[in-house]
Amino acid sequence: MNSAITEQDIKYLPGVGPNRKKLLSQELGIETYGDLLEYYPYKHIDRTKVYAVRDLTGDMPFVQVVGHILSFETFEMGPRRERVVAHFSDGTGIMDLVWFNGGKYAKQNYKIGTEYLVFGRPSVFNNRIQVQHPEVEGVRSEELGVRSEEAGISSFTMRPYYNTTEKMKKMNMTSRAIQRLVKTLLEKLTAPLPETIPDFILSSRHLMGRDEALRTIHFPQDVRQLERARVRLKFEELFFVQLNILRYASDQRRKYRGFVFNRIGPVFNDFYQRNLPFQLTGAQKRVMHEIRADVCSGHQMNRLLQGDVGSGKTLVALMAMLIAIDNGYQACIMAPTEILAEQHLQTIKDFLHQMPVRVELLTGIVKGKRRQEVLSGLADGTVQILVGTHAVIEDTVQFQLLGLVVIDEQHRFGVAQRAKLWQKAPQSGEATRAIPHVLVMTATPIPRTLAMTLYGDLDVSVIDELPPGRKPVRTSHVFDSRMTTLYDGIRKQIHEGRQVYIVFPLIEESEKSDLRNLEQGFEVLCQAFPEFRLSKVHGRMKPRDKEEEMQRFVSGQTQILVATTVIEVGVNVPNASVMVILDAQRFGLSQLHQLRGRVGRGADQSFCILVTPYKLSEDTRRRIDIMCETNDGFRIAEADLKLRGPGDLEGTQQSGMAFDLKIADIARDGQLVQMARDEAQHVIDDDPTCQSAKYALLLQRLRQLRKNDINWSKIS
């Protein structure tokens, strides 16, 4: 059977029609039979056991009981509200079924003396077992395939539960309704569903066939079968992600060469001997060796440079750029914001103090005559290092000989944009063109499984040591009832000559939120610290005003900077030794770690204070504890991934996944990610284009996924 039936419009499935099709399409993106098959249950509840009323206790999870209703009682609960209670018995005892809503429906539709299957979570009220808002169905219900027999109920199964929206529920499109549609569809699909993975991979990895997996994931017979189906479908999803990433990377290597930087010359040596601010850490030396090997190889370097805040990534990137200059090439470094671009410019100029290397800035604020001078310098080769934002990839920007691009990615810079930079390289007319090397820096440490998926086409280097003299930031948790003590600590630090950040989550008061807001908070802080000068910075200020306030703090004119998370990147004030984060429970781990990275940049001991109310959820308390326990960005990122999932991680949603994984979870399925990666690598090593008959199934599936508008290029 081919895949045509799975591409059938969902409106033709019995029970759907045009109106439900519109609802399924708008709310869940379900357009075809195949979409419905791949709308997986979020949980299953074991319906294989029937309990006796006499055995029920109030601390049990969901249970099901078979019996009949003895009578109904109605209790008034105020204007137009009532509580309906059905007294229910299975012959071993009596329990109550309770409705606070929908009681009228229950009284009209459930008949006294008729045998029903009741499902719900038991509790105890007035020494009697009750189930609130139970699921109730006739025992002879054909849709479950169950029947009443003398010995009891014989053929219950595990019940799937599907996510639905409020709009769907209002229109009676519940989890139960989706279950019925899936059952109808599976009964309609009498021939086996087409396979997408070759037999030799299925057998070597002991995977279930696709037809069995898709049927089992919805209606498993037991927990073991359900787990096998999950593994198969997760593997398939991750495998095709990895296969596309590796195929893309392989394709790039075949199409493009990299410029060869085969000499270390006077510019690099002069910098290394005279300007290097401190001895390189072992991690920085290791990464420099990896970069050096790449740029000498003749292949284009595509390397991800991971390093925690303050680990010295910019210094490594600058040294790579100096190697390019020594070999007659230009280099550029791209940042996501103007503030960060200006920060990089200043950092690089400070590193290159008095060296004859021309470094220029190109952002949206560089205009007129100054802009023309920069553009001319790029075209004639006199500008050796360009620092800029996305303005760098505009058509008017032409380099004489661009050899290395450094991308500082707080937000991801996609393949299509990278390709625009490659086009700025000279055209050679050869079969394989030489293009600039690419070094991608990220200050948000990315767990290995996530990096493998988001940055799968890049080789990874990690700087996991801090430069000498840096002391780890001490992090502590303070309840907001102890602000007076906190203020005393801030005063002490300022009297010792230090500066302080105080971060608020919001700018203006929100009716839906109990957060402190920056505007009111700023006034409170001015009254609390009348002896000091304060600056205020937030994202809605005009760029010039924001820059002025930042500069006042950087120059030491103000002692306290009150800000929102706009200071998360692009601020480097070595004299600032205290970071106070108010309402820290409102921030994710990654964001807390980035904010903490603003201090600890000098030789003095620095402090990060996380301020929260006393009442916290378990997850929030765990986040705060992790921050207090460790400064290791990779450990924090791993914990963040597990707590929040990849879709919520800072930077990945807007930047990484152009599609949602339907069943796999990168945080929890690390072993499967690695297994899928290994298998995909075997395929690419054997046949980089997947054109041989052996891989026909894989190529067919890749084309189908492309047709479904999955933008694979964005993943890498």
Side-chain angles (χ1 to χ4, degrees):
M1 171 186 165
N2 59 34
S3 61
I5 185 111
T6 58
E7 291 168 16
Q8 177 79 267
D9 193 318
I10 194 69
K11 73 181 177 187
Y12 297 117
L13 183 69
V16 179
N19 292 337
R20 276 189 154 185
K21 184 257 168 83
K22 187 178 177 185
L23 186 65
L24 286 166
S25 173
Q26 288 176 346
E27 298 298 297
L28 303 178
I30 294 175
E31 305 267 357
T32 66
Y33 287 3
D35 293 338
L36 181 59
L37 277 178
E38 292 181 10
Y39 190 67
Y40 303 121
Y42 70 92
K43 70 174 181 180
H44 294 77
I45 290 181
D46 190 348
R47 302 290 295 265
T48 58
K49 183 173 180 181
V50 178
Y51 289 82
V53 172
R54 70 181 172 211
D55 296 330
L56 299 183
T57 62
D59 58 357
M60 296 173 83
F62 290 96
V63 298
Q64 57 189 0
V65 180
V66 172
H68 56 276
I69 294 170
L70 302 173
S71 62
F72 282 99
E73 270 191 280
T74 303
F75 301 88
E76 296 298 325
M77 292 179 61
R80 288 191 281 184
R81 291 196 65 203
E82 61 182 23
R83 173 167 59 99
V84 173
V85 178
H87 304 298
F88 184 87
S89 174
D90 68 344
T92 71
I94 297 174
M95 61 188 275
D96 291 338
L97 312 181
V98 183
W99 291 269
F100 295 97
N101 299 303
K104 187 177 176 184
Y105 175 89
K107 284 189 291 185
Q108 287 175 352
N109 289 276
Y110 303 143
K111 309 299 180 191
I112 292 172
T114 299
E115 197 168 33
Y116 290 110
L117 167 71
V118 168
F119 177 77
R121 189 191 293 272
S123 59
V124 176
F125 180 71
N126 283 344
N127 293 318
R128 188 133 140 189
I129 291 288
Q130 68 168 22
V131 174
Q132 295 181 12
H133 297 280
E135 285 184 26
V136 180
E137 61 193 35
V139 168
R140 298 182 191 281
S141 167
E142 290 179 8
E143 71 199 27
L144 275 183
V146 302
R147 62 191 184 278
S148 176
E149 296 178 350
E150 286 180 20
I153 308 303
S154 66
S155 55
F156 296 93
T157 59
M158 297 183 73
R159 170 75 64 80
Y161 283 76
Y162 300 85
N163 280 314
T164 56
T165 64
E166 287 305 313
K167 185 176 178 182
M168 292 174 72
K169 285 169 189 164
K170 283 176 187 171
M171 298 177 71
N172 291 321
M173 180 60 80
T174 59
S175 167
R176 195 65 187 284
I178 292 177
Q179 178 197 324
R180 284 194 285 265
L181 292 178
V182 173
K183 191 165 193 306
T184 300
L185 176 56
L186 289 172
E187 286 169 353
K188 190 177 177 72
L189 300 173
T190 52
L193 291 156
E195 187 51 77
T196 54
I197 296 176
D199 283 343
F200 67 88
I201 294 178
L202 295 181
S203 58
S204 71
R205 296 293 181 177
H206 308 290
L207 295 171
M208 188 182 265
R210 191 164 192 265
D211 178 78
E212 186 184 358
L214 281 169
R215 293 176 191 274
T216 302
I217 197 72
H218 294 286
F219 299 108
Q221 290 304 308
D222 55 48
V223 174
R224 184 177 164 278
Q225 283 297 94
L226 173 62
E227 187 52 32
R228 285 196 66 217
R230 278 189 180 140
V231 167
R232 153 63 208 238
L233 295 170
K234 286 178 178 185
F235 174 84
E236 176 179 335
E237 201 165 45
L238 294 166
F239 172 71
F240 282 106
V241 170
Q242 296 297 336
L243 188 61
N244 268 279
I245 290 168
L246 293 173
R247 203 161 159 253
Y248 165 79
S250 171
D251 191 46
Q252 291 302 110
R253 279 195 294 273
R254 284 198 314 280
K255 279 185 186 171
Y256 301 111
R257 291 180 291 111
F259 296 118
V260 177
F261 302 165
N262 54 15
R263 70 188 287 253
I264 296 289
V267 178
F268 183 93
N269 286 327
D270 194 32
F271 173 79
Y272 196 86
Q273 287 159 16
R274 300 183 189 182
N275 283 42
L276 198 63
F278 46 78
Q279 190 174 354
L280 295 182
T281 63
Q284 285 173 314
K285 287 177 182 173
R286 183 185 68 243
V287 170
M288 279 308 303
H289 284 305
E290 289 166 351
I291 290 170
R292 180 95 174 91
D294 283 350
V295 298
C296 289
S297 68
H299 298 296
Q300 186 212 17
M301 174 173 73
N302 263 304
R303 187 164 287 280
L304 175 67
L305 177 55
Q306 288 200 67
D308 228 331
V309 179
S311 61
K313 294 183 299 296
T314 307
L315 177 59
V316 166
L318 173 60
M319 291 168 73
M321 290 191 276
L322 297 181
I323 293 173
I325 292 169
D326 269 333
N327 285 273
Y329 294 90
Q330 295 162 292
C332 82
I333 179 166
M334 290 184 54
T337 65
E338 290 185 353
I339 287 179
L340 199 51
E342 288 166 18
Q343 182 83 46
H344 278 314
L345 179 76
Q346 194 54 52
T347 302
I348 288 170
K349 284 190 168 179
D350 290 346
F351 277 141
L352 295 174
H353 180 60
Q354 294 186 335
M355 284 186 66
V357 176
R358 185 178 171 191
V359 186
E360 295 288 359
L361 180 71
L362 191 66
T363 66
I365 58 172
V366 179
K367 299 183 186 298
K369 186 182 176 187
R370 183 78 196 110
R371 190 178 188 87
Q372 273 313 119
E373 287 173 357
V374 173
L375 293 176
S376 299
L378 289 170
D380 65 21
T382 54
V383 172
Q384 293 156 293
I385 296 176
L386 179 69
V387 182
T389 55
H390 283 55
V392 169
I393 62 174
E394 290 171 6
D395 293 340
T396 52
V397 181
Q398 293 298 325
F399 293 81
Q400 186 188 62
L401 195 56
L402 179 63
L404 173 66
V405 179
V406 178
I407 300 167
D408 191 353
E409 288 201 345
Q410 288 299 327
H411 303 292
R412 303 222 27 236
F413 189 63
V415 170
Q417 291 160 309
R418 283 193 226 162
K420 275 197 167 188
L421 282 165
W422 299 337
Q423 286 158 17
K424 295 181 184 298
Q427 305 292 323
S428 66
E430 297 174 29
T432 55
R433 275 179 53 207
I435 57 174
H437 298 290
V438 175
L439 183 66
V440 182
M441 299 193 299
T442 175
T444 305
I446 303 167
R448 191 177 56 83
T449 54
L450 189 57
M452 213 183 280
T453 307
L454 292 181
Y455 294 92
D457 66 321
L458 305 180
D459 298 312
V460 179
S461 290
V462 177
I463 302 179
D464 49 11
E465 293 175 62
L466 288 178
R470 288 276 176 93
K471 294 177 182 173
V473 179
R474 285 186 196 158
T475 305
S476 54
H477 178 202
V478 171
F479 295 120
D480 53 13
S481 56
R482 301 196 58 202
M483 293 303 286
T484 306
T485 309
L486 177 58
Y487 288 166
D488 289 343
I490 288 171
R491 277 192 194 89
K492 185 171 181 289
Q493 284 288 309
I494 296 174
H495 284 311
E496 289 177 6
R498 312 281 174 262
Q499 289 167 278
V500 177
Y501 296 104
I502 299 180
V503 176
F504 284 81
L506 287 185
I507 298 169
E508 296 168 352
E509 193 169 39
S510 162
E511 291 177 2
K512 296 178 182 176
S513 172
D514 61 350
L515 299 181
R516 298 176 182 83
N517 70 83
L518 186 141
E519 298 294 352
Q520 288 180 345
F522 184 73
E523 296 303 320
V524 170
L525 290 166
C526 287
Q527 291 166 19
F529 299 104
E531 69 271 43
F532 302 130
R533 291 186 297 278
L534 285 74
S535 287
K536 177 175 66 178
V537 175
H538 60 73
R540 293 184 195 171
M541 292 169 71
K542 290 179 180 172
R544 186 180 297 171
D545 295 342
K546 192 173 7 179
E547 188 60 33
E548 254 177 48
E549 287 294 290
M550 291 276 231
Q551 285 308 321
R552 287 178 66 213
F553 186 67
V554 170
S555 64
Q557 293 174 50
T558 55
Q559 289 81 45
I560 299 174
L561 177 63
V562 182
T564 58
T565 55
V566 72
I567 60 149
E568 193 178 341
V569 295
V571 183
N572 184 15
V573 184
N575 192 48
S577 66
V578 181
M579 167 64 70
V580 177
I581 304 173
L582 300 172
D583 281 312
Q585 78 279 6
R586 302 290 181 176
F587 297 86
L589 269 173
S590 172
Q591 208 168 27
L592 289 172
H593 183 60
Q594 288 293 316
L595 287 167
R596 176 167 63 185
R598 296 302 105 203
V599 296
R601 291 171 166 259
D604 302 302
Q605 180 62 59
S606 290
F607 305 89
C608 177
I609 317 297
L610 308 176
V611 182
T612 73
Y614 184 76
K615 193 173 180 182
L616 296 173
S617 72
E618 193 180 328
D619 269 5
T620 303
R621 199 171 289 279
R622 203 177 312 151
R623 279 209 309 273
I624 300 294
D625 288 347
I626 289 165
M627 286 297 298
C628 295
E629 285 166 16
T630 183
N631 284 285
D632 183 340
F634 287 93
R635 191 178 153 201
I636 287 166
E638 199 77 56
D640 203 16
L641 184 63
K642 283 176 180 161
L643 282 171
R644 297 167 65 193
D648 296 329
L649 280 188
E650 200 67 29
T652 61
Q653 188 72 335
Q654 67 266 38
S655 64
M657 307 281 201
F659 64 103
D660 292 318
L661 292 173
K662 292 176 181 175
I663 190 166
D665 181 331
I666 291 170
R668 292 168 182 83
D669 296 324
Q671 280 184 305
L672 274 175
V673 174
Q674 186 64 60
M675 188 166 107
R677 176 76 168 196
D678 292 346
E679 203 59 58
Q681 190 66 62
H682 291 325
V683 172
I684 294 302
D685 290 345
D686 188 36
D687 181 2
T689 60
C690 298
Q691 295 292 332
S692 63
K694 185 179 178 183
Y695 300 117
L697 268 183
L698 299 182
L699 193 61
Q700 185 181 333
R701 182 62 174 163
L702 291 174
R703 285 172 178 157
Q704 187 185 358
L705 290 167
R706 280 213 183 82
K707 198 165 80 175
N708 292 346
D709 291 331
I710 292 177
N711 188 344
W712 296 103
S713 67
K714 279 193 180 176
I715 298 163
S716 53

